[in-house]
Amino acid sequence: MSGPIENSRGVRGRLDFLSGAVLTAASLVAILWLIPQYVPGEATRGEIAPSTFPYITALVVMICSIALMITNWRNFRTVEQSGGWRILAELAGLTIVAGGTLLLIGRFGFVSAGIFAVVCAIYITHYRQHLWLLALISIGLPFLLKYGVWQIFTIQLP
Amino acid sequence: MLDQIVSAFEAAFTFWNLVAIFAGIVLGIVIGAIPGLGSVTAMAVLIPVTYYMSPLAAIAFLVGVNKGGTSGGAIPAILLNSPGTPEAAASALDGHPMAKRGEAKRALKFAIFSSVTGDMISDLMLIVLVVPFAAVALQFGPLEYTCVLLFAFALLAGITGDSPLKGVIAIFAGIFLSTIGLDPVHSSQRMTFGQVNLYDGLSLTSLAIGALALSAVIVEMLGLGREGGRESFTLQQPRAGVGTALPLREFLSYWRTILRSSMIGSFVGMLPGLGVTLAAFLSYGAARRASPNGDKFGTGEPEGIIATEAANSAVVGANLVPTIALGIPGNIAAALLIGALVMHGIVPGPFMLTMHGDLVYGLFASMIIANVIHLIVGRLGVNLWVQFAVVPRGIILPPVVLFCIVGVYLPSQSLWDVGVMLVFAGLGVAMIRTGFSLVCLVIGFLLGDLFETSLRQTLLLYNGKYAEAILSPVALLFLALTIGVMVRAFLAARRSAA
């Protein structure tokens, strides 16, 4: 499901070009730094080196990403808007919510993190009817889940 | 054979197995009926719960969720003209006009009867075909396996999403992610950054729930937020006494459409990579061409609902043929089933029939029983399912975030996995927005290990003498098919871009 801006062909092409550029950069990072640094490159006893397969897959991603850029080059030059910034803004917002949720689980436990996550989700939906029910869900559900998980699975949520 | 069938039904007819099937179908219908969710989301969120069940009950439960979820998607499609899943879109074409005429209940009955019939035919095909398929697969060496996997990847990339290039990128990105952890041959660390949590690689549950379920829910929430939190559909209430009856004889008078659609669904389900949506639309098109009332399709013709529902439900059983025989999932639901099997220590593939024959035949029996339960539950609960379809998404979607967190935490009790899930939810949102297929990513990740092992074995086996590979006709056939599928997909993408 895409947003309304990303649906036109030219705009989609520009977005494809930008995605291709990001993926090319990411695969280059994998080929030039990540794999040589964090995967042993030497083969033993006539075996194939552990780094061979990661190199092959990263190389395929890089070649296809470059091809994606080439096939959408025209759209990149002619279309001005792609919705790319909106996607980045959404992702930045989601990162903050996700980071906050993880931090709260680690520091204060599941209930506070659960309330935070549900309140953020309610804010994102802009749904403002049945507010009493939403308040009940955001506060009651984390408690209910913590209690239910303990009763059913005998697992203590953090 | 008769002994096996009897003992399979004995194993499946236990109290807890029946409870698992019943619960799976009810949860599947309920979650499938909620616009914005669907059977894949339901399965992804519920997989961790199966960790606490016996293997047979776990798989029967998930098959029930898949069956219920697939037919549940028709409820919002018919009543609200708001298909919860892409495959239910074709059901809305004729289902919603019927509902507008006041025949909502009749349309829902057509949907559930067709769904169960299509499911049953496909399950019987599975039972008949899986043994010969597995027998053939047992003859495959690493080279043949590599070529079959390449063919599956080509089908996936060629069909899913708007560009085969993006499909290939998503698959290989998934395969790359599967290389994180200990190397399958040397056990040397690959991209673990010294983190003990990464020694076993990324958890499939975290990846699947994050990328498939949570990201879809977030995108739905963002979409709802963009609409100002307002629902844009109106319910066509079933009217008492108006067009509610559906005699069995009337339903069976469409036997040609039922049979044709079930066959289309089963065939599509057996090919790796092709999804439920394709089956639904292929079947709808075929029924429209074959029917004398073809010109009435789209105006409330029951044959349209039958064609769609029989076909998309027939995929459910048939996609287990490549899953059990080859260990290659027919679609994303089958991929999640493989994940659940692996969680219970069972490796899908040709050896599953010999090593876990009891479980496989028990699963077949459970699937037949599930169809009967599905028919009863679906038929009796029509009025109830309608209520779930009209619950505002603003109330349903936020709590799903919590279920995802709990679902990931349960099996491993690790906050690391929750973090991985949140990362993949973000990646999933970015992929949905930019038109990259999440199905390709998850299936690539799931099959990455198998692909690497067979490719490495092939390279070692032939050790530079690659001309000898020509001696394998099976490998050559699948290689030719792979090239054919990719060339066709690129030509089609070029035509549509022109």
Side-chain angles (χ1 to χ4, degrees), chain B residues 13-65:
Chain B
F13 249 112
T14 60
F15 175 74
W16 286 112
N17 200 48
L18 292 176
V19 168
I21 295 170
F22 176 80
I25 287 171
V26 170
L27 283 170
I29 296 179
V30 168
I31 299 178
I34 297 168
L37 301 180
S39 59
V40 170
T41 307
M43 285 180 76
V45 173
L46 292 169
I47 278 180
V49 177
T50 65
Y51 191 66
Y52 301 90
M53 299 178 183
S54 70
L56 179 58
I59 305 304
F61 172 75
L62 288 175
V63 168
V65 172

Side-chain angles (χ1 to χ4, degrees), chain A residues 1-4 6 9 12 15-16 19-20 23 30 33-35 38-40 42-44 46-58 60-61 63-65 67-68 71 86-87 90-91 94 98-99 101-102 105-106 110 113-115 117-118 121-122 124-130 133-134 137-138 141-142 145 149 153 155-158, chain B residues 49 52 162-163 165-166 168-169 172-173 175-176 178-179 183 185-186 188-194 218-226 228-231 392-395 397-403 405-406 409-411 413 415 418-420 422-423 425-427 429-430 432-436 448 451-452 455-457 459-460 463 496-498:
Chain A
M1 190 186 295
S2 316
E6 297 104 81
R9 181 169 292 167
R12 171 63 83 189
L15 202 56
D16 282 352
S19 310
L23 285 163
W33 173 72
L34 190 63
I35 302 172
Y38 293 101
V39 184
E42 289 150 24
T44 48
E47 274 282 353
I48 287 153
S51 60
T52 310
F53 199 69
Y55 270 127
I56 292 173
T57 49
V60 172
V61 172
I63 292 167
C64 291
S65 306
L68 193 64
T71 50
R86 201 184 59 186
I87 297 171
E90 278 175 6
L91 285 177
L94 291 174
T101 308
L102 264 184
I105 297 186
F110 174 77
I115 293 171
V118 175
I122 290 168
I124 291 171
T125 59
H126 284 255
Y127 184 78
R128 298 291 177 267
Q129 294 165 42
H130 308 102
L133 184 59
L134 291 174
I137 289 171
S138 57
L141 189 64
L145 278 174
V149 165
F153 303 109
I155 289 174
Q156 189 75 55
L157 289 176
Chain B
V49 177
Y52 301 90
D162 55 0
S163 140
L165 263 181
K166 287 156 86 175
V168 174
I169 292 173
F172 276 82
I175 299 174
F176 180 79
S178 76
T179 62
D183 169 60
V185 179
H186 299 91
S188 47
Q189 294 179 38
R190 295 196 296 195
M191 294 173 276
T192 57
F193 308 99
I218 291 172
V219 169
E220 276 291 320
M221 291 195 301
L222 289 168
L224 188 61
R226 215 175 288 131
R230 287 180 295 276
E231 303 284 2
R393 283 180 297 164
I395 292 175
L397 296 175
V400 180
V401 178
L402 279 194
F403 288 113
I405 294 175
V406 174
Y409 186 80
L410 276 183
Q413 292 156 52
L415 281 182
V418 177
V420 172
L422 292 173
V423 168
L427 183 72
V429 171
I432 293 171
R433 280 276 188 266
T434 48
F436 283 86
F451 185 51
E452 178 175 8
L455 185 65
R456 284 171 80 159
Q457 284 174 348
L459 292 174
L460 282 175
N463 198 20
S496 73

Side-chain angles (χ1 to χ4, degrees), chain B residues 111-127:
Chain B
I112 188 77
F113 289 172
S114 319
S115 189
V116 172
T117 317
D119 230 342
M120 187 65 102
I121 291 172
S122 140
D123 290 350
L124 293 173
M125 283 184 71
L126 163 72
I127 295 167

Side-chain angles (χ1 to χ4, degrees), chain B residues 143-463:
Chain B
L143 175 67
E144 286 80 9
Y145 241 99
T146 308
C147 293
V148 170
L149 283 167
L150 280 174
F151 172 61
F153 293 151
L155 271 179
L156 251 176
I159 298 289
T160 322
D162 55 0
S163 140
L165 263 181
K166 287 156 86 175
V168 174
I169 292 173
I171 290 169
F172 276 82
I175 299 174
F176 180 79
L177 290 172
S178 76
T179 62
I180 295 172
L182 295 182
D183 169 60
V185 179
H186 299 91
S187 293
S188 47
Q189 294 179 38
R190 295 196 296 195
M191 294 173 276
T192 57
F193 308 99
Q195 262 282 347
V196 181
N197 289 306
L198 280 175
Y199 281 14
D200 281 339
L202 297 166
S203 127
L204 177 65
T205 315
S206 309
L207 192 137
I209 294 184
L212 295 174
L214 190 53
S215 66
V217 168
I218 291 172
V219 169
E220 276 291 320
M221 291 195 301
L222 289 168
L224 188 61
R226 215 175 288 131
E227 292 159 18
R230 287 180 295 276
E231 303 284 2
S232 52
F233 46 69
T234 45
L235 171 71
Q236 300 296 327
Q237 280 284 6
R239 283 180 232 158
V242 181
T244 56
L246 175 57
L248 190 62
R249 183 176 289 186
E250 186 188 345
F251 174 70
L252 291 178
S253 70
Y254 295 105
W255 66 270
R256 278 196 187 87
T257 310
I258 298 168
L259 210 60
R260 186 192 317 109
S261 306
S262 305
M263 289 301 168
I264 290 173
S266 301
F267 180 70
V268 170
M270 271 185 258
L271 288 175
L274 307 186
V276 185
T277 313
L278 181 75
F281 279 96
L282 274 180
S283 168
Y284 187 83
R288 188 178 194 162
R289 281 192 298 277
S291 168
N293 299 327
D295 53 330
K296 289 184 187 157
F297 271 53
T299 61
E301 179 62 34
E303 257 184 294
I305 304 174
I306 294 171
T308 312
E309 287 302 309
N312 65 23
S313 292
V315 173
V316 175
N319 67 27
L320 290 182
V321 176
T323 308
I324 295 174
L326 294 161
I328 298 173
N331 62 13
I332 194 66
L336 293 173
L337 270 182
I338 288 186
L341 283 167
V342 171
M343 205 162 81
H344 284 274
I346 298 152
V347 181
F351 291 106
M352 191 177 163
L353 275 163
T354 47
M355 291 172 72
H356 303 282
D358 293 350
L359 175 73
V360 175
Y361 285 104
L363 173 64
F364 293 162
S366 301
M367 289 173 84
I368 302 290
I369 295 167
N371 289 334
V372 179
I373 297 178
H374 188 185
L375 181 65
I376 297 166
V377 169
R379 171 69 189 82
L380 295 181
V382 167
N383 291 331
L384 182 65
W385 314 134
V386 173
Q387 303 310 315
F388 287 101
V390 295
V391 177
R393 283 180 297 164
I395 292 175
I396 288 287
L397 296 175
V400 180
V401 178
L402 279 194
F403 288 113
C404 290
I405 294 175
V406 174
V408 167
Y409 186 80
L410 276 183
S412 59
Q413 292 156 52
S414 147
L415 281 182
W416 170 269
D417 282 352
V418 177
V420 172
M421 177 197 69
L422 292 173
V423 168
F424 276 98
L427 183 72
V429 171
M431 285 181 72
I432 293 171
R433 280 276 188 266
T434 48
F436 283 86
S437 163
L438 283 167
V439 174
C440 288
L441 180 89
V442 175
I443 294 189
F445 177 78
L446 188 82
L447 294 179
D449 236 19
L450 184 64
F451 185 51
E452 178 175 8
T453 311
S454 19
L455 185 65
R456 284 171 80 159
Q457 284 174 348
T458 307
L459 292 174
L460 282 175
L461 202 66
Y462 290 94
N463 198 20

